[in-house]
């Protein structure tokens, strides 16, 4: 195993950023938390069924084995990892709950972007200030910083961004992190498809960057619901306090470990080459006005009539995401890169479509 050292140059004072009730929280202590080793063969401490059936025992609340595996996979220390059993959506909600005082604090996000940020903000009664992307879906660094005030705890940056597909330059995200006193959350759900580099190595030495990753997309495990937050161990300690004690089942922990051993089956390379083929094919379809560059496993495509093309596709058995009502996305459909056969079917339909006749 690689030993990873964690090094924050100046110790950040997180107490300024964490909600007061979370700072004061006495976290729930599970039956197994208080037990520190020894030779136990009779477990009568957790009111479980004593009859072995594979799942009669509570899972490891700290997911130690899984975190060690994730640690070597992402070259990050185990103490810097939070694992969520409801995907990275769980980490998004926890981040609001840890940092933002409802009705008082606010957060800044880019728009258009992933819809869960605004839903999680609303659930937590936190004002979300949405800043439109710049020309060519660029990161509006100055406008993002200008939207913050002394009650802004979080800035959300999705990179590669959903639904626009582009990853932002690292230097620009770092410029935001270096100019902002709160936490910058970088959602890298699609990071595995990008050649732009991850923000993970930037966590050490900075302290105010949180990176979200997930096994749902490139790793092909959306059904297992496993997402991660990486941050300074002092920050991750708050996630561990606030999370549900047993937030990932033992079967899921086991199955993720098994599937990590098998890898992604080489599909990331295949999806990246299909992304190119799909983009080139779509650009030839007469109903397509623009195919935006993508660092993800989907393409944002501007068409002549998004609602009509969408209906044509769904009525022929292909569903895509109609994003045409989002800011800056008029006329846009978001199309996931499928298998070669699925992409062929989509391309054929897109080329067959004729405006309004339908
Ligand atoms: C799909 C997606 C996620 C959700 O990941 P889960 O781990 O499945 O919850 C997070 N962020 C973005 C931007 C996504 O598109």
């Amino acid at each position: 195993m690689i030993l990873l050292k964690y090094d924050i140059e100046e110790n950040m004072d997180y107490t300024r950023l964490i909600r007061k009730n979370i700072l004061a929280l006495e976290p729930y202590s599970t039956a197994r938390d208080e037990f520190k080793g020894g030779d136990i063969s009779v477990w009568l401490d957790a009111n479980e069924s004593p009859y072995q059936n594979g799942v009669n025992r509570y899972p490891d609340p700290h997911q130690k084995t899984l975190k060690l595996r994730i640690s070597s996979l992402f070259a990050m220390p185990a103490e810097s990892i939070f694992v969520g059993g409801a995907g990275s959506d769980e980490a998004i909600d926890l981040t609001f709950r840890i940092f933002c005082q409802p009705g008082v604090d606010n957060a800044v996000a880019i728009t258009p972007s992933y819809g869960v940020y605004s839903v999680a903000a609303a659930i937590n009664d936190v004002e979300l200030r949405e800043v439109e992307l710049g020309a060519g879906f660029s990161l509006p660094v100055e406008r993002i910083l200008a939207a913050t005030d002394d009650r802004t705890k979080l800035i959300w940056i999705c990179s590669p961004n959903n639904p626009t597909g582009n990853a932002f330059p690292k230097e620009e995200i770092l410029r935001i992190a270096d100019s902002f006193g709160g936490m910058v959350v970088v959602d890298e759900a699609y990071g595995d498809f990008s050649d732009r580099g991850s923000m993970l190595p930037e966590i050490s030495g900075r302290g105010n960057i949180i990176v979200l990753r997930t096994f749902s997309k490139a790793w092909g495990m959306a059904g297992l619901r496993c997402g991660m937050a990486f941050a300074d161990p002092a920050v991750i300690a708050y996630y561990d306090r606030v999370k549900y004690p047993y937030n990932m089942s033992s079967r899921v922990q086991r199955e993720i470990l098994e599937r990590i051993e098998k890898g992604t089956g080489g599909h990331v390379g295949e999806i990246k080459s299909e992304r190119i083929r799909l983009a080139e094919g779509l650009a030839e379809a007469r109903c397509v006005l623009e195919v935006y560059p993508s660092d993800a496993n989907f393409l944002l495509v501007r068409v002549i009539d998004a609602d009509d093309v969408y209906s044509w596709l769904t009525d022929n058995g292909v569903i895509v995401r109609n994003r045409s009502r989002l800011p800056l996305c008029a006329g846009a459909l978001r199309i996931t890169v499928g298998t070669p056969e699925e992409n062929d079917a989509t391309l054929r339909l897109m080329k067959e479509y004729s405006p309004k006749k339908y």
Side-chain angles (χ1 to χ4, degrees):
M1 227 206 72
I2 333 154
L3 269 181
L4 297 152
K5 270 203 60 202
Y6 198 82
D7 196 18
I8 293 274
E9 274 162 34
E10 317 155 39
N11 270 341
M12 253 191 81
D13 180 16
Y14 296 108
T15 55
R16 189 174 55 76
L17 296 172
I18 307 281
R19 277 169 65 191
K20 299 288 166 282
N21 61 314
I22 304 296
L23 284 173
L25 183 73
E26 180 70 58
Y28 179 74
S29 164
T30 69
R32 303 283 141 80
D33 277 340
E34 284 153 26
F35 170 70
K36 298 275 181 274
D39 201 7
I40 302 291
S41 56
V42 180
W43 298 87
L44 305 178
D45 59 329
N47 299 345
E48 299 152 331
S49 167
Y51 300 103
Q52 298 299 334
N53 63 9
V55 289
N56 59 312
R57 297 295 176 190
Y58 275 103
D60 173 10
H62 308 297
Q63 302 106 8
K64 285 192 210 71
T65 314
L66 181 58
K67 281 184 183 174
L68 279 177
R69 192 68 194 83
I70 294 171
S71 167
S72 57
L73 200 60
F74 289 87
M76 293 293 288
E79 319 80 69
S80 71
I81 305 168
F82 161 79
V83 173
S88 44
D89 290 347
E90 180 177 344
I92 294 170
D93 179 54
L94 284 185
T95 306
F96 279 109
R97 286 164 63 192
I98 291 165
F99 290 99
C100 298
Q101 178 71 37
V104 176
D105 291 329
N106 67 72
V108 171
I110 53 173
T111 189
S113 194
Y114 186 44
V116 172
Y117 313 139
S118 57
V119 174
I123 291 170
N124 287 287
D125 193 17
V126 172
E127 179 199 351
L128 189 69
R129 302 174 173 184
E130 297 186 306
V131 179
E132 268 190 15
L133 294 176
F137 299 138
S138 58
L139 195 65
V141 174
E142 302 311 323
R143 281 190 288 120
I144 287 172
L145 292 171
T148 64
D149 61 19
D150 57 1
R151 297 259 42 129
T152 307
K153 296 292 187 64
L154 306 170
I155 295 178
W156 292 87
I157 297 172
C158 184
S159 180
N161 187 37
N162 179 2
T164 57
N166 57 314
F168 303 111
K170 274 177 84 162
E171 317 79 66
E172 295 183 1
I173 301 175
L174 290 176
R175 198 140 60 83
I176 291 175
D178 289 341
S179 321
F180 175 55
M183 304 299 291
V184 177
V185 192
V186 186
D187 186 344
E188 296 186 350
Y190 301 97
D192 310 81
F193 301 105
S194 170
D195 302 321
R196 294 259 200 161
S198 170
M199 296 301 286
L200 283 172
E202 311 299 334
I203 292 174
S204 169
R206 251 181 197 81
N208 71 333
I209 295 178
I210 298 169
V211 175
L212 307 184
R213 303 287 293 233
T214 179
F215 285 118
S216 293
K217 309 285 160 66
W219 289 82
M221 299 189 238
L224 288 178
R225 309 305 304 127
C226 181
M228 297 146 279
F230 295 86
D232 181 345
V235 172
I236 292 302
Y238 290 106
Y239 284 77
D240 288 336
R241 292 159 69 99
V242 174
K243 76 182 186 73
Y244 288 127
Y246 300 106
N247 66 326
M248 180 175 283
S249 78
S250 47
R251 292 181 72 156
V252 166
Q253 291 186 45
R254 210 163 37 233
E255 185 158 353
I256 289 168
L257 279 166
E258 288 166 11
R259 286 173 185 265
I260 289 173
E261 294 319 312
K262 292 189 204 138
T264 61
H267 292 311
V268 172
E270 185 173 2
I271 287 172
K272 283 164 82 173
S273 62
E274 277 297 295
R275 176 174 78 197
I276 298 172
R277 193 176 71 87
L278 184 63
E280 288 172 352
L282 286 168
E284 291 167 11
R286 270 187 309 150
C287 66
V288 171
L289 300 173
E290 188 162 10
V291 182
Y292 295 97
S294 172
D295 300 295
N297 66 337
F298 58 84
L299 294 168
L300 190 73
V301 181
R302 204 154 54 81
V303 295
I304 44 170
D305 183 340
D307 291 345
D308 203 47
V309 175
Y310 176 83
S311 308
W312 162 255
L313 290 174
T314 48
D315 286 2
N316 284 282
V318 173
I319 186 155
V320 300
R321 195 89 151 107
N322 186 348
R323 300 276 70 180
S324 60
R325 280 162 193 84
L326 294 186
L328 309 178
C329 288
L333 301 176
R334 192 194 68 194
I335 305 179
T336 309
V337 179
T339 63
E341 298 72 32
E342 290 170 338
N343 300 332
D344 284 342
T346 307
L347 285 172
R348 185 170 38 74
L349 283 171
M350 290 294 280
K351 288 174 181 173
E352 276 171 19
Y353 169 83
S354 52
K356 291 293 174 205
K357 220 177 71 191
Y358 179 59

